[in-house]
Amino acid sequence: MGAHMKTTVELPDALLADARALAEREGTTLKALLEAGLRHVVMDRKRRARRVPPRVVTFGGGGLQPGVTSFDDMLELSYVGRGT
């Protein structure tokens, strides 16, 4: 087991009462319950921080071709030269 440090944490009375009751029901200690909860939050935040936002890909052009005003126009252009 690693090193341990004691600290004091202030919690709302109702939260502490709920946590003690939960620990009792689960047959564990308040310390173990608090440690598990804190580990869960820390790991979740680390996972979120590691997420890389999707790369935005753009093409250096002037937008749609002249005369293209709808999806049907784009669909029709996608088949030009394909023998249909």
Side-chain angles (χ1 to χ4, degrees), residues 4-45:
H4 291 85
M5 183 184 307
K6 289 190 179 222
T7 190
T8 301
V9 178
E10 290 186 26
L11 299 171
D13 292 340
L15 177 59
L16 182 57
D18 288 346
R20 283 184 171 147
L22 179 60
E24 178 73 26
R25 281 195 308 272
E26 293 189 354
T28 189
T29 63
L30 180 61
K31 176 186 175 230
L33 187 66
L34 291 170
E35 186 176 341
L38 189 55
R39 282 185 192 281
H40 175 77
V41 170
V42 169
M43 292 306 295
D44 183 59
R45 301 279 166 84

PDB file of all heavy atoms in Angstrom, residues 4-45:
ATOM      1  N   HIS A   4      -0.054   7.326   2.992  1.00  0.00           N
ATOM      2  CA  HIS A   4      -1.354   7.902   3.295  1.00  0.00           C
ATOM      3  C   HIS A   4      -1.171   9.230   4.003  1.00  0.00           C
ATOM      4  O   HIS A   4      -0.191   9.435   4.708  1.00  0.00           O
ATOM      5  CB  HIS A   4      -2.163   6.954   4.192  1.00  0.00           C
ATOM      6  CG  HIS A   4      -2.588   5.715   3.492  1.00  0.00           C
ATOM      7  ND1 HIS A   4      -1.778   4.612   3.385  1.00  0.00           N
ATOM      8  CD2 HIS A   4      -3.727   5.405   2.842  1.00  0.00           C
ATOM      9  CE1 HIS A   4      -2.412   3.678   2.720  1.00  0.00           C
ATOM     10  NE2 HIS A   4      -3.588   4.131   2.371  1.00  0.00           N
ATOM     11  N   MET A   5      -2.128  10.109   3.797  1.00  0.00           N
ATOM     12  CA  MET A   5      -2.089  11.404   4.448  1.00  0.00           C
ATOM     13  C   MET A   5      -3.457  11.665   5.059  1.00  0.00           C
ATOM     14  O   MET A   5      -4.479  11.367   4.442  1.00  0.00           O
ATOM     15  CB  MET A   5      -1.769  12.489   3.415  1.00  0.00           C
ATOM     16  CG  MET A   5      -1.631  13.864   4.023  1.00  0.00           C
ATOM     17  SD  MET A   5      -1.355  15.164   2.797  1.00  0.00           S
ATOM     18  CE  MET A   5       0.036  14.554   1.895  1.00  0.00           C
ATOM     19  N   LYS A   6      -3.486  12.193   6.228  1.00  0.00           N
ATOM     20  CA  LYS A   6      -4.749  12.540   6.861  1.00  0.00           C
ATOM     21  C   LYS A   6      -5.117  13.963   6.461  1.00  0.00           C
ATOM     22  O   LYS A   6      -4.256  14.824   6.312  1.00  0.00           O
ATOM     23  CB  LYS A   6      -4.638  12.444   8.380  1.00  0.00           C
ATOM     24  CG  LYS A   6      -4.535  11.030   8.860  1.00  0.00           C
ATOM     25  CD  LYS A   6      -4.679  10.963  10.371  1.00  0.00           C
ATOM     26  CE  LYS A   6      -4.600   9.509  10.781  1.00  0.00           C
ATOM     27  NZ  LYS A   6      -5.562   9.180  11.793  1.00  0.00           N
ATOM     28  N   THR A   7      -6.415  14.175   6.313  1.00  0.00           N
ATOM     29  CA  THR A   7      -6.899  15.512   5.982  1.00  0.00           C
ATOM     30  C   THR A   7      -8.286  15.682   6.588  1.00  0.00           C
ATOM     31  O   THR A   7      -8.923  14.713   6.990  1.00  0.00           O
ATOM     32  CB  THR A   7      -6.926  15.730   4.451  1.00  0.00           C
ATOM     33  OG1 THR A   7      -7.181  17.107   4.193  1.00  0.00           O
ATOM     34  CG2 THR A   7      -7.967  14.873   3.767  1.00  0.00           C
ATOM     35  N   THR A   8      -8.739  16.894   6.626  1.00  0.00           N
ATOM     36  CA  THR A   8     -10.071  17.194   7.127  1.00  0.00           C
ATOM     37  C   THR A   8     -10.909  17.726   5.974  1.00  0.00           C
ATOM     38  O   THR A   8     -10.450  18.569   5.207  1.00  0.00           O
ATOM     39  CB  THR A   8     -10.006  18.257   8.242  1.00  0.00           C
ATOM     40  OG1 THR A   8      -9.180  17.758   9.286  1.00  0.00           O
ATOM     41  CG2 THR A   8     -11.387  18.595   8.764  1.00  0.00           C
ATOM     42  N   VAL A   9     -12.114  17.206   5.859  1.00  0.00           N
ATOM     43  CA  VAL A   9     -13.024  17.639   4.796  1.00  0.00           C
ATOM     44  C   VAL A   9     -14.345  18.031   5.439  1.00  0.00           C
ATOM     45  O   VAL A   9     -14.867  17.305   6.282  1.00  0.00           O
ATOM     46  CB  VAL A   9     -13.260  16.493   3.773  1.00  0.00           C
ATOM     47  CG1 VAL A   9     -14.229  16.926   2.697  1.00  0.00           C
ATOM     48  CG2 VAL A   9     -11.947  16.048   3.170  1.00  0.00           C
ATOM     49  N   GLU A  10     -14.871  19.171   5.058  1.00  0.00           N
ATOM     50  CA  GLU A  10     -16.172  19.595   5.561  1.00  0.00           C
ATOM     51  C   GLU A  10     -17.240  19.167   4.566  1.00  0.00           C
ATOM     52  O   GLU A  10     -17.133  19.450   3.374  1.00  0.00           O
ATOM     53  CB  GLU A  10     -16.211  21.104   5.748  1.00  0.00           C
ATOM     54  CG  GLU A  10     -15.339  21.580   6.888  1.00  0.00           C
ATOM     55  CD  GLU A  10     -15.500  23.062   7.172  1.00  0.00           C
ATOM     56  OE1 GLU A  10     -16.570  23.624   6.867  1.00  0.00           O
ATOM     57  OE2 GLU A  10     -14.549  23.648   7.699  1.00  0.00           O
ATOM     58  N   LEU A  11     -18.261  18.456   5.064  1.00  0.00           N
ATOM     59  CA  LEU A  11     -19.352  17.979   4.223  1.00  0.00           C
ATOM     60  C   LEU A  11     -20.675  18.449   4.820  1.00  0.00           C
ATOM     61  O   LEU A  11     -20.797  18.565   6.045  1.00  0.00           O
ATOM     62  CB  LEU A  11     -19.362  16.445   4.175  1.00  0.00           C
ATOM     63  CG  LEU A  11     -18.124  15.770   3.607  1.00  0.00           C
ATOM     64  CD1 LEU A  11     -18.199  14.266   3.824  1.00  0.00           C
ATOM     65  CD2 LEU A  11     -17.978  16.087   2.139  1.00  0.00           C
ATOM     66  N   PRO A  12     -21.673  18.662   3.983  1.00  0.00           N
ATOM     67  CA  PRO A  12     -23.002  18.971   4.526  1.00  0.00           C
ATOM     68  C   PRO A  12     -23.491  17.803   5.392  1.00  0.00           C
ATOM     69  O   PRO A  12     -23.236  16.628   5.072  1.00  0.00           O
ATOM     70  CB  PRO A  12     -23.876  19.132   3.275  1.00  0.00           C
ATOM     71  CG  PRO A  12     -22.909  19.420   2.158  1.00  0.00           C
ATOM     72  CD  PRO A  12     -21.656  18.698   2.513  1.00  0.00           C
ATOM     73  N   ASP A  13     -24.172  18.105   6.478  1.00  0.00           N
ATOM     74  CA  ASP A  13     -24.640  17.080   7.410  1.00  0.00           C
ATOM     75  C   ASP A  13     -25.460  15.996   6.712  1.00  0.00           C
ATOM     76  O   ASP A  13     -25.282  14.802   6.981  1.00  0.00           O
ATOM     77  CB  ASP A  13     -25.467  17.711   8.537  1.00  0.00           C
ATOM     78  CG  ASP A  13     -24.618  18.574   9.460  1.00  0.00           C
ATOM     79  OD1 ASP A  13     -23.376  18.393   9.474  1.00  0.00           O
ATOM     80  OD2 ASP A  13     -25.190  19.432  10.169  1.00  0.00           O
ATOM     81  N   ALA A  14     -26.371  16.383   5.833  1.00  0.00           N
ATOM     82  CA  ALA A  14     -27.242  15.420   5.159  1.00  0.00           C
ATOM     83  C   ALA A  14     -26.426  14.476   4.266  1.00  0.00           C
ATOM     84  O   ALA A  14     -26.691  13.271   4.220  1.00  0.00           O
ATOM     85  CB  ALA A  14     -28.295  16.150   4.324  1.00  0.00           C
ATOM     86  N   LEU A  15     -25.431  15.003   3.575  1.00  0.00           N
ATOM     87  CA  LEU A  15     -24.593  14.163   2.721  1.00  0.00           C
ATOM     88  C   LEU A  15     -23.802  13.173   3.563  1.00  0.00           C
ATOM     89  O   LEU A  15     -23.707  11.986   3.228  1.00  0.00           O
ATOM     90  CB  LEU A  15     -23.647  15.024   1.886  1.00  0.00           C
ATOM     91  CG  LEU A  15     -22.661  14.269   0.985  1.00  0.00           C
ATOM     92  CD1 LEU A  15     -23.394  13.384  -0.015  1.00  0.00           C
ATOM     93  CD2 LEU A  15     -21.753  15.269   0.268  1.00  0.00           C
ATOM     94  N   LEU A  16     -23.251  13.633   4.662  1.00  0.00           N
ATOM     95  CA  LEU A  16     -22.494  12.754   5.540  1.00  0.00           C
ATOM     96  C   LEU A  16     -23.391  11.656   6.113  1.00  0.00           C
ATOM     97  O   LEU A  16     -23.002  10.486   6.163  1.00  0.00           O
ATOM     98  CB  LEU A  16     -21.842  13.552   6.666  1.00  0.00           C
ATOM     99  CG  LEU A  16     -20.967  12.761   7.631  1.00  0.00           C
ATOM    100  CD1 LEU A  16     -19.848  12.029   6.891  1.00  0.00           C
ATOM    101  CD2 LEU A  16     -20.389  13.679   8.690  1.00  0.00           C
ATOM    102  N   ALA A  17     -24.594  12.001   6.497  1.00  0.00           N
ATOM    103  CA  ALA A  17     -25.533  11.009   7.029  1.00  0.00           C
ATOM    104  C   ALA A  17     -25.873   9.968   5.966  1.00  0.00           C
ATOM    105  O   ALA A  17     -25.897   8.761   6.242  1.00  0.00           O
ATOM    106  CB  ALA A  17     -26.806  11.694   7.536  1.00  0.00           C
ATOM    107  N   ASP A  18     -26.129  10.430   4.734  1.00  0.00           N
ATOM    108  CA  ASP A  18     -26.419   9.496   3.637  1.00  0.00           C
ATOM    109  C   ASP A  18     -25.228   8.585   3.365  1.00  0.00           C
ATOM    110  O   ASP A  18     -25.389   7.389   3.124  1.00  0.00           O
ATOM    111  CB  ASP A  18     -26.794  10.251   2.363  1.00  0.00           C
ATOM    112  CG  ASP A  18     -28.165  10.903   2.433  1.00  0.00           C
ATOM    113  OD1 ASP A  18     -28.950  10.562   3.354  1.00  0.00           O
ATOM    114  OD2 ASP A  18     -28.453  11.750   1.563  1.00  0.00           O
ATOM    115  N   ALA A  19     -24.029   9.138   3.378  1.00  0.00           N
ATOM    116  CA  ALA A  19     -22.823   8.355   3.111  1.00  0.00           C
ATOM    117  C   ALA A  19     -22.605   7.318   4.211  1.00  0.00           C
ATOM    118  O   ALA A  19     -22.262   6.164   3.922  1.00  0.00           O
ATOM    119  CB  ALA A  19     -21.606   9.278   2.995  1.00  0.00           C
ATOM    120  N   ARG A  20     -22.819   7.700   5.449  1.00  0.00           N
ATOM    121  CA  ARG A  20     -22.662   6.746   6.556  1.00  0.00           C
ATOM    122  C   ARG A  20     -23.683   5.615   6.442  1.00  0.00           C
ATOM    123  O   ARG A  20     -23.365   4.443   6.665  1.00  0.00           O
ATOM    124  CB  ARG A  20     -22.802   7.461   7.897  1.00  0.00           C
ATOM    125  CG  ARG A  20     -21.573   8.241   8.274  1.00  0.00           C
ATOM    126  CD  ARG A  20     -21.707   8.859   9.650  1.00  0.00           C
ATOM    127  NE  ARG A  20     -20.434   9.434  10.071  1.00  0.00           N
ATOM    128  CZ  ARG A  20     -20.315  10.495  10.819  1.00  0.00           C
ATOM    129  NH1 ARG A  20     -21.395  11.119  11.272  1.00  0.00           N
ATOM    130  NH2 ARG A  20     -19.127  10.950  11.153  1.00  0.00           N
ATOM    131  N   ALA A  21     -24.905   5.969   6.087  1.00  0.00           N
ATOM    132  CA  ALA A  21     -25.952   4.952   5.939  1.00  0.00           C
ATOM    133  C   ALA A  21     -25.623   4.007   4.779  1.00  0.00           C
ATOM    134  O   ALA A  21     -25.808   2.787   4.895  1.00  0.00           O
ATOM    135  CB  ALA A  21     -27.313   5.625   5.716  1.00  0.00           C
ATOM    136  N   LEU A  22     -25.130   4.547   3.691  1.00  0.00           N
ATOM    137  CA  LEU A  22     -24.750   3.723   2.540  1.00  0.00           C
ATOM    138  C   LEU A  22     -23.598   2.783   2.904  1.00  0.00           C
ATOM    139  O   LEU A  22     -23.623   1.599   2.576  1.00  0.00           O
ATOM    140  CB  LEU A  22     -24.357   4.606   1.353  1.00  0.00           C
ATOM    141  CG  LEU A  22     -23.903   3.881   0.087  1.00  0.00           C
ATOM    142  CD1 LEU A  22     -25.003   2.971  -0.448  1.00  0.00           C
ATOM    143  CD2 LEU A  22     -23.476   4.890  -0.973  1.00  0.00           C
ATOM    144  N   ALA A  23     -22.616   3.300   3.588  1.00  0.00           N
ATOM    145  CA  ALA A  23     -21.482   2.474   4.010  1.00  0.00           C
ATOM    146  C   ALA A  23     -21.967   1.338   4.912  1.00  0.00           C
ATOM    147  O   ALA A  23     -21.541   0.195   4.758  1.00  0.00           O
ATOM    148  CB  ALA A  23     -20.443   3.333   4.731  1.00  0.00           C
ATOM    149  N   GLU A  24     -22.874   1.651   5.805  1.00  0.00           N
ATOM    150  CA  GLU A  24     -23.433   0.627   6.697  1.00  0.00           C
ATOM    151  C   GLU A  24     -24.172  -0.448   5.905  1.00  0.00           C
ATOM    152  O   GLU A  24     -23.973  -1.651   6.125  1.00  0.00           O
ATOM    153  CB  GLU A  24     -24.377   1.292   7.710  1.00  0.00           C
ATOM    154  CG  GLU A  24     -25.059   0.333   8.663  1.00  0.00           C
ATOM    155  CD  GLU A  24     -24.128  -0.230   9.717  1.00  0.00           C
ATOM    156  OE1 GLU A  24     -23.120   0.427  10.042  1.00  0.00           O
ATOM    157  OE2 GLU A  24     -24.411  -1.339  10.216  1.00  0.00           O
ATOM    158  N   ARG A  25     -25.016  -0.028   4.975  1.00  0.00           N
ATOM    159  CA  ARG A  25     -25.776  -0.985   4.155  1.00  0.00           C
ATOM    160  C   ARG A  25     -24.857  -1.877   3.332  1.00  0.00           C
ATOM    161  O   ARG A  25     -25.140  -3.041   3.119  1.00  0.00           O
ATOM    162  CB  ARG A  25     -26.729  -0.248   3.213  1.00  0.00           C
ATOM    163  CG  ARG A  25     -27.996   0.248   3.848  1.00  0.00           C
ATOM    164  CD  ARG A  25     -29.040   0.647   2.818  1.00  0.00           C
ATOM    165  NE  ARG A  25     -28.560   1.568   1.797  1.00  0.00           N
ATOM    166  CZ  ARG A  25     -28.557   2.896   1.899  1.00  0.00           C
ATOM    167  NH1 ARG A  25     -28.994   3.470   3.005  1.00  0.00           N
ATOM    168  NH2 ARG A  25     -28.120   3.651   0.912  1.00  0.00           N
ATOM    169  N   GLU A  26     -23.766  -1.301   2.832  1.00  0.00           N
ATOM    170  CA  GLU A  26     -22.852  -2.050   1.974  1.00  0.00           C
ATOM    171  C   GLU A  26     -21.778  -2.790   2.762  1.00  0.00           C
ATOM    172  O   GLU A  26     -20.937  -3.470   2.182  1.00  0.00           O
ATOM    173  CB  GLU A  26     -22.218  -1.121   0.944  1.00  0.00           C
ATOM    174  CG  GLU A  26     -23.234  -0.592  -0.052  1.00  0.00           C
ATOM    175  CD  GLU A  26     -22.614   0.168  -1.210  1.00  0.00           C
ATOM    176  OE1 GLU A  26     -21.381   0.395  -1.213  1.00  0.00           O
ATOM    177  OE2 GLU A  26     -23.371   0.529  -2.123  1.00  0.00           O
ATOM    178  N   GLY A  27     -21.790  -2.638   4.072  1.00  0.00           N
ATOM    179  CA  GLY A  27     -20.821  -3.340   4.902  1.00  0.00           C
ATOM    180  C   GLY A  27     -19.394  -2.864   4.680  1.00  0.00           C
ATOM    181  O   GLY A  27     -18.447  -3.644   4.696  1.00  0.00           O
ATOM    182  N   THR A  28     -19.245  -1.589   4.462  1.00  0.00           N
ATOM    183  CA  THR A  28     -17.920  -1.013   4.258  1.00  0.00           C
ATOM    184  C   THR A  28     -17.737   0.156   5.208  1.00  0.00           C
ATOM    185  O   THR A  28     -18.619   0.457   6.013  1.00  0.00           O
ATOM    186  CB  THR A  28     -17.735  -0.586   2.779  1.00  0.00           C
ATOM    187  OG1 THR A  28     -16.371  -0.221   2.563  1.00  0.00           O
ATOM    188  CG2 THR A  28     -18.638   0.561   2.396  1.00  0.00           C
ATOM    189  N   THR A  29     -16.616   0.805   5.111  1.00  0.00           N
ATOM    190  CA  THR A  29     -16.356   1.956   5.976  1.00  0.00           C
ATOM    191  C   THR A  29     -16.632   3.245   5.219  1.00  0.00           C
ATOM    192  O   THR A  29     -16.618   3.274   3.979  1.00  0.00           O
ATOM    193  CB  THR A  29     -14.890   1.971   6.443  1.00  0.00           C
ATOM    194  OG1 THR A  29     -14.042   2.118   5.297  1.00  0.00           O
ATOM    195  CG2 THR A  29     -14.549   0.697   7.194  1.00  0.00           C
ATOM    196  N   LEU A  30     -16.852   4.294   5.971  1.00  0.00           N
ATOM    197  CA  LEU A  30     -17.030   5.611   5.364  1.00  0.00           C
ATOM    198  C   LEU A  30     -15.766   5.995   4.599  1.00  0.00           C
ATOM    199  O   LEU A  30     -15.836   6.521   3.489  1.00  0.00           O
ATOM    200  CB  LEU A  30     -17.355   6.651   6.436  1.00  0.00           C
ATOM    201  CG  LEU A  30     -17.559   8.083   5.948  1.00  0.00           C
ATOM    202  CD1 LEU A  30     -18.733   8.166   4.983  1.00  0.00           C
ATOM    203  CD2 LEU A  30     -17.777   9.010   7.141  1.00  0.00           C
ATOM    204  N   LYS A  31     -14.613   5.692   5.168  1.00  0.00           N
ATOM    205  CA  LYS A  31     -13.337   5.994   4.514  1.00  0.00           C
ATOM    206  C   LYS A  31     -13.258   5.309   3.144  1.00  0.00           C
ATOM    207  O   LYS A  31     -12.899   5.934   2.147  1.00  0.00           O
ATOM    208  CB  LYS A  31     -12.174   5.540   5.390  1.00  0.00           C
ATOM    209  CG  LYS A  31     -10.823   5.737   4.742  1.00  0.00           C
ATOM    210  CD  LYS A  31      -9.715   5.132   5.584  1.00  0.00           C
ATOM    211  CE  LYS A  31      -8.413   5.251   4.844  1.00  0.00           C
ATOM    212  NZ  LYS A  31      -7.662   4.060   4.761  1.00  0.00           N
ATOM    213  N   ALA A  32     -13.602   4.009   3.087  1.00  0.00           N
ATOM    214  CA  ALA A  32     -13.541   3.269   1.823  1.00  0.00           C
ATOM    215  C   ALA A  32     -14.525   3.842   0.807  1.00  0.00           C
ATOM    216  O   ALA A  32     -14.210   3.951  -0.391  1.00  0.00           O
ATOM    217  CB  ALA A  32     -13.817   1.790   2.064  1.00  0.00           C
ATOM    218  N   LEU A  33     -15.706   4.206   1.275  1.00  0.00           N
ATOM    219  CA  LEU A  33     -16.712   4.782   0.382  1.00  0.00           C
ATOM    220  C   LEU A  33     -16.242   6.130  -0.176  1.00  0.00           C
ATOM    221  O   LEU A  33     -16.353   6.384  -1.386  1.00  0.00           O
ATOM    222  CB  LEU A  33     -18.027   4.955   1.136  1.00  0.00           C
ATOM    223  CG  LEU A  33     -19.230   5.390   0.322  1.00  0.00           C
ATOM    224  CD1 LEU A  33     -19.615   4.309  -0.663  1.00  0.00           C
ATOM    225  CD2 LEU A  33     -20.392   5.706   1.242  1.00  0.00           C
ATOM    226  N   LEU A  34     -15.693   6.980   0.679  1.00  0.00           N
ATOM    227  CA  LEU A  34     -15.186   8.277   0.228  1.00  0.00           C
ATOM    228  C   LEU A  34     -14.024   8.110  -0.752  1.00  0.00           C
ATOM    229  O   LEU A  34     -13.936   8.804  -1.777  1.00  0.00           O
ATOM    230  CB  LEU A  34     -14.749   9.127   1.415  1.00  0.00           C
ATOM    231  CG  LEU A  34     -15.875   9.620   2.323  1.00  0.00           C
ATOM    232  CD1 LEU A  34     -15.297  10.241   3.584  1.00  0.00           C
ATOM    233  CD2 LEU A  34     -16.769  10.589   1.594  1.00  0.00           C
ATOM    234  N   GLU A  35     -13.135   7.170  -0.457  1.00  0.00           N
ATOM    235  CA  GLU A  35     -11.996   6.936  -1.339  1.00  0.00           C
ATOM    236  C   GLU A  35     -12.466   6.443  -2.708  1.00  0.00           C
ATOM    237  O   GLU A  35     -11.985   6.910  -3.745  1.00  0.00           O
ATOM    238  CB  GLU A  35     -11.047   5.910  -0.718  1.00  0.00           C
ATOM    239  CG  GLU A  35      -9.780   5.721  -1.517  1.00  0.00           C
ATOM    240  CD  GLU A  35      -8.799   4.771  -0.850  1.00  0.00           C
ATOM    241  OE1 GLU A  35      -8.911   4.536   0.375  1.00  0.00           O
ATOM    242  OE2 GLU A  35      -7.927   4.269  -1.571  1.00  0.00           O
ATOM    243  N   ALA A  36     -13.423   5.522  -2.727  1.00  0.00           N
ATOM    244  CA  ALA A  36     -13.935   5.008  -4.001  1.00  0.00           C
ATOM    245  C   ALA A  36     -14.606   6.120  -4.809  1.00  0.00           C
ATOM    246  O   ALA A  36     -14.409   6.230  -6.029  1.00  0.00           O
ATOM    247  CB  ALA A  36     -14.924   3.868  -3.745  1.00  0.00           C
ATOM    248  N   GLY A  37     -15.382   6.952  -4.129  1.00  0.00           N
ATOM    249  CA  GLY A  37     -16.050   8.048  -4.826  1.00  0.00           C
ATOM    250  C   GLY A  37     -15.073   9.057  -5.390  1.00  0.00           C
ATOM    251  O   GLY A  37     -15.205   9.513  -6.527  1.00  0.00           O
ATOM    252  N   LEU A  38     -14.063   9.389  -4.616  1.00  0.00           N
ATOM    253  CA  LEU A  38     -13.066  10.348  -5.067  1.00  0.00           C
ATOM    254  C   LEU A  38     -12.257   9.782  -6.230  1.00  0.00           C
ATOM    255  O   LEU A  38     -11.981  10.474  -7.214  1.00  0.00           O
ATOM    256  CB  LEU A  38     -12.155  10.740  -3.905  1.00  0.00           C
ATOM    257  CG  LEU A  38     -11.187  11.890  -4.159  1.00  0.00           C
ATOM    258  CD1 LEU A  38     -11.923  13.135  -4.629  1.00  0.00           C
ATOM    259  CD2 LEU A  38     -10.399  12.185  -2.897  1.00  0.00           C
ATOM    260  N   ARG A  39     -11.894   8.497  -6.145  1.00  0.00           N
ATOM    261  CA  ARG A  39     -11.177   7.862  -7.261  1.00  0.00           C
ATOM    262  C   ARG A  39     -12.009   7.903  -8.542  1.00  0.00           C
ATOM    263  O   ARG A  39     -11.500   8.166  -9.620  1.00  0.00           O
ATOM    264  CB  ARG A  39     -10.838   6.408  -6.936  1.00  0.00           C
ATOM    265  CG  ARG A  39      -9.671   6.254  -6.024  1.00  0.00           C
ATOM    266  CD  ARG A  39      -9.317   4.773  -5.849  1.00  0.00           C
ATOM    267  NE  ARG A  39      -8.392   4.573  -4.768  1.00  0.00           N
ATOM    268  CZ  ARG A  39      -7.092   4.802  -4.858  1.00  0.00           C
ATOM    269  NH1 ARG A  39      -6.580   5.225  -5.989  1.00  0.00           N
ATOM    270  NH2 ARG A  39      -6.309   4.615  -3.817  1.00  0.00           N
ATOM    271  N   HIS A  40     -13.297   7.623  -8.400  1.00  0.00           N
ATOM    272  CA  HIS A  40     -14.194   7.640  -9.560  1.00  0.00           C
ATOM    273  C   HIS A  40     -14.216   9.019 -10.227  1.00  0.00           C
ATOM    274  O   HIS A  40     -14.086   9.132 -11.444  1.00  0.00           O
ATOM    275  CB  HIS A  40     -15.607   7.232  -9.128  1.00  0.00           C
ATOM    276  CG  HIS A  40     -16.616   7.330 -10.215  1.00  0.00           C
ATOM    277  ND1 HIS A  40     -16.710   6.400 -11.224  1.00  0.00           N
ATOM    278  CD2 HIS A  40     -17.569   8.257 -10.466  1.00  0.00           C
ATOM    279  CE1 HIS A  40     -17.675   6.757 -12.047  1.00  0.00           C
ATOM    280  NE2 HIS A  40     -18.216   7.884 -11.608  1.00  0.00           N
ATOM    281  N   VAL A  41     -14.364  10.062  -9.441  1.00  0.00           N
ATOM    282  CA  VAL A  41     -14.410  11.421  -9.980  1.00  0.00           C
ATOM    283  C   VAL A  41     -13.079  11.801 -10.624  1.00  0.00           C
ATOM    284  O   VAL A  41     -13.037  12.343 -11.735  1.00  0.00           O
ATOM    285  CB  VAL A  41     -14.788  12.442  -8.879  1.00  0.00           C
ATOM    286  CG1 VAL A  41     -14.596  13.865  -9.363  1.00  0.00           C
ATOM    287  CG2 VAL A  41     -16.218  12.221  -8.437  1.00  0.00           C
ATOM    288  N   VAL A  42     -11.972  11.495  -9.970  1.00  0.00           N
ATOM    289  CA  VAL A  42     -10.649  11.842 -10.505  1.00  0.00           C
ATOM    290  C   VAL A  42     -10.403  11.120 -11.831  1.00  0.00           C
ATOM    291  O   VAL A  42      -9.955  11.727 -12.809  1.00  0.00           O
ATOM    292  CB  VAL A  42      -9.538  11.532  -9.473  1.00  0.00           C
ATOM    293  CG1 VAL A  42      -8.164  11.625 -10.100  1.00  0.00           C
ATOM    294  CG2 VAL A  42      -9.649  12.484  -8.292  1.00  0.00           C
ATOM    295  N   MET A  43     -10.705   9.825 -11.896  1.00  0.00           N
ATOM    296  CA  MET A  43     -10.481   9.059 -13.130  1.00  0.00           C
ATOM    297  C   MET A  43     -11.378   9.570 -14.259  1.00  0.00           C
ATOM    298  O   MET A  43     -10.958   9.666 -15.405  1.00  0.00           O
ATOM    299  CB  MET A  43     -10.716   7.566 -12.899  1.00  0.00           C
ATOM    300  CG  MET A  43      -9.676   6.930 -11.997  1.00  0.00           C
ATOM    301  SD  MET A  43      -7.963   7.206 -12.539  1.00  0.00           S
ATOM    302  CE  MET A  43      -7.967   6.312 -14.065  1.00  0.00           C
ATOM    303  N   ASP A  44     -12.625   9.901 -13.930  1.00  0.00           N
ATOM    304  CA  ASP A  44     -13.545  10.425 -14.946  1.00  0.00           C
ATOM    305  C   ASP A  44     -13.018  11.738 -15.519  1.00  0.00           C
ATOM    306  O   ASP A  44     -13.042  11.947 -16.731  1.00  0.00           O
ATOM    307  CB  ASP A  44     -14.930  10.635 -14.335  1.00  0.00           C
ATOM    308  CG  ASP A  44     -15.933  11.105 -15.365  1.00  0.00           C
ATOM    309  OD1 ASP A  44     -16.151  10.384 -16.356  1.00  0.00           O
ATOM    310  OD2 ASP A  44     -16.510  12.204 -15.174  1.00  0.00           O
ATOM    311  N   ARG A  45     -12.530  12.612 -14.675  1.00  0.00           N
ATOM    312  CA  ARG A  45     -11.992  13.900 -15.149  1.00  0.00           C
ATOM    313  C   ARG A  45     -10.742  13.685 -15.992  1.00  0.00           C
ATOM    314  O   ARG A  45     -10.517  14.384 -16.977  1.00  0.00           O
ATOM    315  CB  ARG A  45     -11.677  14.816 -13.969  1.00  0.00           C
ATOM    316  CG  ARG A  45     -12.881  15.123 -13.092  1.00  0.00           C
ATOM    317  CD  ARG A  45     -13.760  16.223 -13.659  1.00  0.00           C
ATOM    318  NE  ARG A  45     -15.049  16.294 -13.020  1.00  0.00           N
ATOM    319  CZ  ARG A  45     -15.320  16.937 -11.895  1.00  0.00           C
ATOM    320  NH1 ARG A  45     -14.376  17.571 -11.258  1.00  0.00           N
ATOM    321  NH2 ARG A  45     -16.541  16.940 -11.405  1.00  0.00           N
TER     322      ARG A  45
END
